[in-house]
mmCIF file of all heavy atoms in Angstrom:
data_model
loop_
_atom_site.group_PDB
_atom_site.id
_atom_site.type_symbol
_atom_site.label_atom_id
_atom_site.label_comp_id
_atom_site.label_asym_id
_atom_site.label_seq_id
_atom_site.Cartn_x
_atom_site.Cartn_y
_atom_site.Cartn_z
ATOM 1 N N PHE A 8 5.759 13.555 3.181
ATOM 2 C CA PHE A 8 5.790 14.789 3.876
ATOM 3 C C PHE A 8 7.154 15.119 4.464
ATOM 4 O O PHE A 8 7.786 14.213 4.997
ATOM 5 C CB PHE A 8 4.774 14.751 5.083
ATOM 6 C CG PHE A 8 3.346 14.609 4.723
ATOM 7 C CD1 PHE A 8 2.403 13.992 5.541
ATOM 8 C CD2 PHE A 8 2.847 15.161 3.511
ATOM 9 C CE1 PHE A 8 1.142 13.895 5.239
ATOM 10 C CE2 PHE A 8 1.500 15.027 3.191
ATOM 11 C CZ PHE A 8 0.637 14.369 4.079
ATOM 12 N N PHE A 28 -3.050 23.055 17.931
ATOM 13 C CA PHE A 28 -2.505 22.774 16.599
ATOM 14 C C PHE A 28 -2.025 24.052 15.969
ATOM 15 O O PHE A 28 -2.561 24.691 15.113
ATOM 16 C CB PHE A 28 -3.610 22.120 15.722
ATOM 17 C CG PHE A 28 -3.942 20.745 16.193
ATOM 18 C CD1 PHE A 28 -5.020 20.472 16.954
ATOM 19 C CD2 PHE A 28 -3.104 19.699 15.855
ATOM 20 C CE1 PHE A 28 -5.349 19.210 17.382
ATOM 21 C CE2 PHE A 28 -3.339 18.393 16.285
ATOM 22 C CZ PHE A 28 -4.443 18.177 17.046
ATOM 23 N N PHE A 36 4.463 17.704 12.502
ATOM 24 C CA PHE A 36 3.262 16.883 12.614
ATOM 25 C C PHE A 36 3.468 15.473 12.125
ATOM 26 O O PHE A 36 3.065 14.459 12.776
ATOM 27 C CB PHE A 36 2.079 17.515 11.952
ATOM 28 C CG PHE A 36 0.754 16.747 12.201
ATOM 29 C CD1 PHE A 36 0.168 16.785 13.403
ATOM 30 C CD2 PHE A 36 0.267 15.959 11.204
ATOM 31 C CE1 PHE A 36 -0.968 16.006 13.699
ATOM 32 C CE2 PHE A 36 -0.884 15.226 11.404
ATOM 33 C CZ PHE A 36 -1.483 15.233 12.663
ATOM 34 N N ILE A 40 2.863 12.378 14.785
ATOM 35 C CA ILE A 40 1.693 11.474 14.744
ATOM 36 C C ILE A 40 2.178 10.030 14.520
ATOM 37 O O ILE A 40 1.684 9.123 15.173
ATOM 38 C CB ILE A 40 0.589 11.912 13.747
ATOM 39 C CG1 ILE A 40 -0.691 11.159 14.112
ATOM 40 C CG2 ILE A 40 1.008 11.812 12.275
ATOM 41 C CD1 ILE A 40 -1.971 11.826 13.652
ATOM 42 N N TYR A 47 -1.036 4.228 12.940
ATOM 43 C CA TYR A 47 -1.392 5.370 12.043
ATOM 44 C C TYR A 47 -0.967 5.105 10.545
ATOM 45 O O TYR A 47 -1.749 5.352 9.606
ATOM 46 C CB TYR A 47 -0.718 6.637 12.510
ATOM 47 C CG TYR A 47 -0.912 7.838 11.624
ATOM 48 C CD1 TYR A 47 -2.142 8.529 11.614
ATOM 49 C CD2 TYR A 47 0.113 8.297 10.741
ATOM 50 C CE1 TYR A 47 -2.265 9.641 10.767
ATOM 51 C CE2 TYR A 47 -0.082 9.361 9.943
ATOM 52 C CZ TYR A 47 -1.288 10.056 9.911
ATOM 53 O OH TYR A 47 -1.482 11.134 9.120
ATOM 54 N N ASP A 70 -12.663 14.668 4.263
ATOM 55 C CA ASP A 70 -11.522 14.377 5.137
ATOM 56 C C ASP A 70 -11.595 15.425 6.233
ATOM 57 O O ASP A 70 -11.141 16.590 6.009
ATOM 58 C CB ASP A 70 -10.177 14.445 4.353
ATOM 59 C CG ASP A 70 -8.991 14.247 5.185
ATOM 60 O OD1 ASP A 70 -9.129 14.002 6.394
ATOM 61 O OD2 ASP A 70 -7.787 14.448 4.653
ATOM 62 N N LEU A 71 -12.202 15.102 7.403
ATOM 63 C CA LEU A 71 -12.464 16.151 8.452
ATOM 64 C C LEU A 71 -11.415 16.126 9.478
ATOM 65 O O LEU A 71 -11.105 15.134 10.121
ATOM 66 C CB LEU A 71 -13.856 15.799 9.027
ATOM 67 C CG LEU A 71 -15.017 15.796 7.988
ATOM 68 C CD1 LEU A 71 -16.302 15.451 8.770
ATOM 69 C CD2 LEU A 71 -15.145 17.109 7.285
ATOM 70 N N GLY A 72 -10.762 17.311 9.707
ATOM 71 C CA GLY A 72 -9.624 17.374 10.498
ATOM 72 C C GLY A 72 -8.465 16.860 9.738
ATOM 73 O O GLY A 72 -7.783 15.911 10.133
ATOM 74 N N CYS A 73 -8.249 17.408 8.555
ATOM 75 C CA CYS A 73 -7.328 16.810 7.530
ATOM 76 C C CYS A 73 -5.900 16.937 7.896
ATOM 77 O O CYS A 73 -5.061 16.254 7.311
ATOM 78 C CB CYS A 73 -7.661 17.358 6.167
ATOM 79 S SG CYS A 73 -7.365 19.119 6.042
ATOM 80 N N SER A 74 -5.560 17.907 8.760
ATOM 81 C CA SER A 74 -4.165 18.175 9.055
ATOM 82 C C SER A 74 -3.380 18.421 7.723
ATOM 83 O O SER A 74 -3.788 19.342 7.037
ATOM 84 C CB SER A 74 -3.455 17.117 9.881
ATOM 85 O OG SER A 74 -4.144 16.920 11.110
ATOM 86 N N LEU A 75 -2.381 17.604 7.433
ATOM 87 C CA LEU A 75 -1.604 17.854 6.250
ATOM 88 C C LEU A 75 -2.170 17.188 4.980
ATOM 89 O O LEU A 75 -1.606 17.237 3.874
ATOM 90 C CB LEU A 75 -0.153 17.406 6.393
ATOM 91 C CG LEU A 75 0.532 18.013 7.668
ATOM 92 C CD1 LEU A 75 2.004 17.624 7.670
ATOM 93 C CD2 LEU A 75 0.393 19.531 7.710
ATOM 94 N N GLY A 76 -3.296 16.493 5.121
ATOM 95 C CA GLY A 76 -3.966 15.884 3.975
ATOM 96 C C GLY A 76 -3.604 14.405 3.709
ATOM 97 O O GLY A 76 -3.777 13.940 2.573
ATOM 98 N N ALA A 77 -3.126 13.710 4.721
ATOM 99 C CA ALA A 77 -2.703 12.324 4.471
ATOM 100 C C ALA A 77 -3.868 11.446 4.003
ATOM 101 O O ALA A 77 -3.751 10.703 2.954
ATOM 102 C CB ALA A 77 -2.158 11.721 5.759
ATOM 103 N N ALA A 95 -11.423 18.632 2.086
ATOM 104 C CA ALA A 95 -10.570 18.471 3.191
ATOM 105 C C ALA A 95 -10.736 19.704 4.103
ATOM 106 O O ALA A 95 -10.596 20.867 3.601
ATOM 107 C CB ALA A 95 -9.115 18.349 2.764
ATOM 108 N N VAL A 96 -11.037 19.463 5.376
ATOM 109 C CA VAL A 96 -11.435 20.574 6.304
ATOM 110 C C VAL A 96 -10.530 20.548 7.501
ATOM 111 O O VAL A 96 -10.398 19.426 8.117
ATOM 112 C CB VAL A 96 -12.900 20.488 6.705
ATOM 113 C CG1 VAL A 96 -13.273 21.772 7.484
ATOM 114 C CG2 VAL A 96 -13.833 20.317 5.531
ATOM 115 N N ASP A 97 -10.020 21.678 7.931
ATOM 116 C CA ASP A 97 -9.299 21.781 9.174
ATOM 117 C C ASP A 97 -9.413 23.191 9.675
ATOM 118 O O ASP A 97 -9.381 24.097 8.871
ATOM 119 C CB ASP A 97 -7.794 21.385 9.027
ATOM 120 C CG ASP A 97 -7.196 20.874 10.371
ATOM 121 O OD1 ASP A 97 -7.056 21.716 11.274
ATOM 122 O OD2 ASP A 97 -6.876 19.668 10.456
ATOM 123 N N ASN A 98 -9.526 23.405 10.991
ATOM 124 C CA ASN A 98 -9.680 24.771 11.473
ATOM 125 C C ASN A 98 -8.339 25.367 11.867
ATOM 126 O O ASN A 98 -8.327 26.484 12.382
ATOM 127 C CB ASN A 98 -10.724 24.902 12.623
ATOM 128 C CG ASN A 98 -10.371 24.109 13.868
ATOM 129 O OD1 ASN A 98 -9.340 23.365 13.848
ATOM 130 N ND2 ASN A 98 -11.144 24.277 14.927
ATOM 131 N N ALA A 99 -7.188 24.676 11.652
ATOM 132 C CA ALA A 99 -5.898 25.222 11.989
ATOM 133 C C ALA A 99 -5.266 25.731 10.710
ATOM 134 O O ALA A 99 -4.933 24.935 9.828
ATOM 135 C CB ALA A 99 -5.042 24.102 12.597
ATOM 136 N N SER A 101 -2.347 26.828 10.033
ATOM 137 C CA SER A 101 -0.997 26.286 9.758
ATOM 138 C C SER A 101 -1.038 24.890 9.083
ATOM 139 O O SER A 101 -0.190 24.552 8.296
ATOM 140 C CB SER A 101 -0.119 26.291 11.033
ATOM 141 O OG SER A 101 -0.895 25.734 12.095
ATOM 142 N N MET A 102 -2.069 24.117 9.459
ATOM 143 C CA MET A 102 -2.253 22.840 8.850
ATOM 144 C C MET A 102 -2.734 22.970 7.410
ATOM 145 O O MET A 102 -2.245 22.376 6.484
ATOM 146 C CB MET A 102 -3.253 21.973 9.614
ATOM 147 C CG MET A 102 -2.830 21.573 11.006
ATOM 148 S SD MET A 102 -1.491 20.310 10.888
ATOM 149 C CE MET A 102 -1.411 19.782 12.595
ATOM 150 N N ILE A 103 -3.772 23.806 7.224
ATOM 151 C CA ILE A 103 -4.353 23.966 5.932
ATOM 152 C C ILE A 103 -3.335 24.506 4.880
ATOM 153 O O ILE A 103 -3.236 24.049 3.738
ATOM 154 C CB ILE A 103 -5.621 24.837 5.895
ATOM 155 C CG1 ILE A 103 -6.796 24.038 6.520
ATOM 156 C CG2 ILE A 103 -6.003 25.433 4.566
ATOM 157 C CD1 ILE A 103 -7.369 22.994 5.566
ATOM 158 N N GLU A 104 -2.514 25.443 5.383
ATOM 159 C CA GLU A 104 -1.447 26.019 4.413
ATOM 160 C C GLU A 104 -0.518 24.859 3.943
ATOM 161 O O GLU A 104 -0.177 24.740 2.761
ATOM 162 C CB GLU A 104 -0.648 26.985 5.197
ATOM 163 C CG GLU A 104 -1.125 28.420 5.099
ATOM 164 C CD GLU A 104 -0.448 29.265 6.189
ATOM 165 O OE1 GLU A 104 0.764 29.072 6.402
ATOM 166 O OE2 GLU A 104 -1.108 30.104 6.773
ATOM 167 N N ARG A 105 -0.084 24.050 4.885
ATOM 168 C CA ARG A 105 0.854 22.978 4.498
ATOM 169 C C ARG A 105 0.154 21.947 3.643
ATOM 170 O O ARG A 105 0.676 21.377 2.676
ATOM 171 C CB ARG A 105 1.460 22.295 5.723
ATOM 172 C CG ARG A 105 2.500 23.103 6.394
ATOM 173 C CD ARG A 105 3.037 22.397 7.553
ATOM 174 N NE ARG A 105 4.456 22.869 7.878
ATOM 175 C CZ ARG A 105 4.704 24.028 8.379
ATOM 176 N NH1 ARG A 105 3.727 24.862 8.624
ATOM 177 N NH2 ARG A 105 5.937 24.380 8.630
ATOM 178 N N CYS A 106 -1.141 21.708 3.993
ATOM 179 C CA CYS A 106 -1.929 20.761 3.227
ATOM 180 C C CYS A 106 -2.068 21.183 1.743
ATOM 181 O O CYS A 106 -1.885 20.393 0.847
ATOM 182 C CB CYS A 106 -3.278 20.572 3.882
ATOM 183 S SG CYS A 106 -4.343 19.405 3.088
ATOM 184 N N ARG A 107 -2.297 22.508 1.571
ATOM 185 C CA ARG A 107 -2.386 23.038 0.183
ATOM 186 C C ARG A 107 -1.083 22.784 -0.592
ATOM 187 O O ARG A 107 -1.116 22.356 -1.765
ATOM 188 C CB ARG A 107 -2.630 24.613 0.322
ATOM 189 C CG ARG A 107 -3.165 25.182 -0.954
ATOM 190 C CD ARG A 107 -3.426 26.722 -0.717
ATOM 191 N NE ARG A 107 -4.399 27.048 0.314
ATOM 192 C CZ ARG A 107 -5.688 26.828 0.283
ATOM 193 N NH1 ARG A 107 -6.212 26.283 -0.811
ATOM 194 N NH2 ARG A 107 -6.494 27.110 1.292
ATOM 195 N N TYR A 109 1.111 20.276 -0.174
ATOM 196 C CA TYR A 109 1.211 18.863 -0.543
ATOM 197 C C TYR A 109 0.222 18.402 -1.586
ATOM 198 O O TYR A 109 0.583 17.690 -2.458
ATOM 199 C CB TYR A 109 1.061 17.985 0.747
ATOM 200 C CG TYR A 109 2.251 18.155 1.665
ATOM 201 C CD1 TYR A 109 2.110 18.606 2.934
ATOM 202 C CD2 TYR A 109 3.529 17.843 1.235
ATOM 203 C CE1 TYR A 109 3.197 18.750 3.787
ATOM 204 C CE2 TYR A 109 4.695 17.966 2.040
ATOM 205 C CZ TYR A 109 4.436 18.419 3.381
ATOM 206 O OH TYR A 109 5.547 18.600 4.188
ATOM 207 N N LEU A 121 -10.036 22.683 -0.335
ATOM 208 C CA LEU A 121 -9.603 22.806 1.074
ATOM 209 C C LEU A 121 -10.442 23.873 1.762
ATOM 210 O O LEU A 121 -10.728 24.884 1.119
ATOM 211 C CB LEU A 121 -8.164 23.228 1.124
ATOM 212 C CG LEU A 121 -7.135 22.231 0.515
ATOM 213 C CD1 LEU A 121 -5.711 22.747 0.700
ATOM 214 C CD2 LEU A 121 -7.277 20.908 1.210
ATOM 215 N N ASN A 140 -10.431 10.899 10.967
ATOM 216 C CA ASN A 140 -9.225 10.155 11.392
ATOM 217 C C ASN A 140 -8.549 10.843 12.555
ATOM 218 O O ASN A 140 -7.733 11.793 12.364
ATOM 219 C CB ASN A 140 -8.274 9.964 10.235
ATOM 220 C CG ASN A 140 -7.320 8.819 10.402
ATOM 221 O OD1 ASN A 140 -7.718 7.773 10.953
ATOM 222 N ND2 ASN A 140 -6.095 9.013 9.902
ATOM 223 N N PHE A 141 -8.893 10.435 13.764
ATOM 224 C CA PHE A 141 -8.349 11.064 15.008
ATOM 225 C C PHE A 141 -8.675 12.534 15.152
ATOM 226 O O PHE A 141 -7.847 13.301 15.540
ATOM 227 C CB PHE A 141 -6.775 10.821 15.080
ATOM 228 C CG PHE A 141 -6.448 9.348 15.038
ATOM 229 C CD1 PHE A 141 -5.858 8.760 13.900
ATOM 230 C CD2 PHE A 141 -6.780 8.512 16.080
ATOM 231 C CE1 PHE A 141 -5.573 7.411 13.840
ATOM 232 C CE2 PHE A 141 -6.525 7.158 16.029
ATOM 233 C CZ PHE A 141 -5.915 6.626 14.926
ATOM 234 N N THR A 142 -9.887 12.864 14.800
ATOM 235 C CA THR A 142 -10.397 14.308 14.933
ATOM 236 C C THR A 142 -11.521 14.419 15.932
ATOM 237 O O THR A 142 -11.523 15.426 16.700
ATOM 238 C CB THR A 142 -10.837 14.759 13.557
ATOM 239 O OG1 THR A 142 -9.756 14.649 12.643
ATOM 240 C CG2 THR A 142 -11.309 16.194 13.565
#
Side-chain angles (χ1 to χ4, degrees):
F8 295 152
F28 289 100
F36 186 74
I40 196 156
Y47 175 78
D70 177 7
L71 302 180
C73 61
S74 301
L75 307 186
V96 187
D97 204 292
N98 64 353
S101 47
M102 291 290 191
I103 284 287
E104 270 166 36
R105 285 183 157 69
C106 183
R107 196 178 302 288
Y109 290 119
L121 299 183
N140 200 36
F141 302 108
T142 301

